[in-house]
Amino acid sequence: MLRYNNTKRYNQLAMGLLKKIFNGYYKPGRKLPSTRELAKQAGVNPNTMQRALQVLQNEKVLIKQSTTGRYVTTNTQLLSDLRNEILEQIKQNYQNEISSYDNSFENVENKQF
């Protein structure tokens, strides 16, 4: 499963590609550039990009056709659900970050640091 805050490089690349799909840069049903071309654009090793693409294939975002390459799924409901799931993760991370700050700082004159 994709996680928004995953620190692994290949997951970050997968999230970047997914964002491009959500924003219409790569449209449903359209072919993606080759692994080598995507790796070159991102400035990473092709093996790292291959792992990112595999993550998206596992999520059914990309469909691999052995002779012609990878295509963005035409299942727009899946893309919409995945987008909403990621937005929920972002919202939860944001709320967790905000709540990690102690709100009793207003009484700073009573605290010793």
Side-chain angles (χ1 to χ4, degrees), residues 9-39:
R9 184 66 178 131
Y10 67 87
N11 195 77
Q12 293 171 352
L13 291 166
M15 291 302 295
L17 288 169
L18 195 54
K19 192 181 287 186
K20 286 183 174 185
I21 291 168
F22 292 154
N23 291 330
Y25 187 81
Y26 297 123
K27 298 189 183 311
R30 300 301 299 255
K31 183 179 177 187
L32 261 61
S34 70
T35 303
R36 286 192 186 282
E37 181 60 32
L38 289 170

Side-chain angles (χ1 to χ4, degrees), residues 2 6 21-22 27 31 35 63 72 100 113:
L2 278 168
N6 191 318
I21 291 168
F22 292 154
K27 298 189 183 311
K31 183 179 177 187
T35 303
I63 288 57
V72 177
S100 72
F113 291 94

